[in-house]
């Protein structure tokens, strides 16, 4: 989804996204322009896509170690703890 549709969906409530279907250089950085970090999660779509593809998205986007940790596991642990 692109803006403004993505912005409307995210602002509608407790909506989260994952990165497996993103394409292009800096795709996570571009996603951060529309979606708060707290709502972005790591996703690989394994076994249909290679795990390395999702990892490459993290490595080629200019993200801080804190942002990478948040996307890859910190928020997921918080979501699991709530249930």
């Amino acid at each position: 989804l692109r803006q403004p549709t993505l912005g409307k969906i995210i602002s509608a409530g407790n909506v989260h996204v994952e990165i497996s279907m993103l394409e292009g250089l800096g795709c996570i950085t571009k996603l951060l322009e529309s979606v708060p970090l707290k709502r972005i999660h790591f996703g690989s779509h394994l076994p249909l896509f290679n795990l390395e593809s999702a990892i490459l998205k993290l490595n080629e986007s200019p993200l801080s170690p804190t942002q990478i940790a948040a996307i890859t596991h910190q928020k997921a642990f918080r979501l699991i703890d709530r249930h």
Side-chain angles (χ1 to χ4, degrees), residues 2-32:
R2 303 276 187 243
Q3 282 291 22
T5 305
L6 180 59
K8 289 178 183 177
I9 292 171
I10 292 298
S11 66
N14 193 17
V15 177
H16 295 252
V17 298
E18 53 87 19
I19 66 168
S20 68
M21 299 297 287
L22 293 178
E23 294 183 354
L25 291 174
C27 58
I28 298 175
T29 305
K30 291 175 188 170
L31 182 63
L32 282 166

Side-chain angles (χ1 to χ4, degrees), residues 12-79:
N14 193 17
V15 177
H16 295 252
V17 298
E18 53 87 19
I19 66 168
S20 68
M21 299 297 287
L22 293 178
E23 294 183 354
L25 291 174
C27 58
I28 298 175
T29 305
K30 291 175 188 170
L31 182 63
L32 282 166
E33 294 172 3
S34 305
V35 180
L37 177 63
K38 65 182 181 179
R39 295 190 184 182
I40 300 175
H41 301 275
F42 181 83
S44 65
H45 208 357
L46 188 74
L48 299 177
F49 296 155
N50 290 324
L51 179 61
E52 290 82 9
S53 174
I55 293 169
L56 179 62
K57 292 172 194 176
L58 291 170
N59 291 335
E60 59 87 21
S61 291
L63 301 171
S64 71
T66 302
Q67 289 173 312
I68 291 173
I71 291 169
T72 58
H73 63 278
Q74 288 176 344
K75 290 186 308 300
F77 288 137
R78 282 188 223 124
L79 288 173

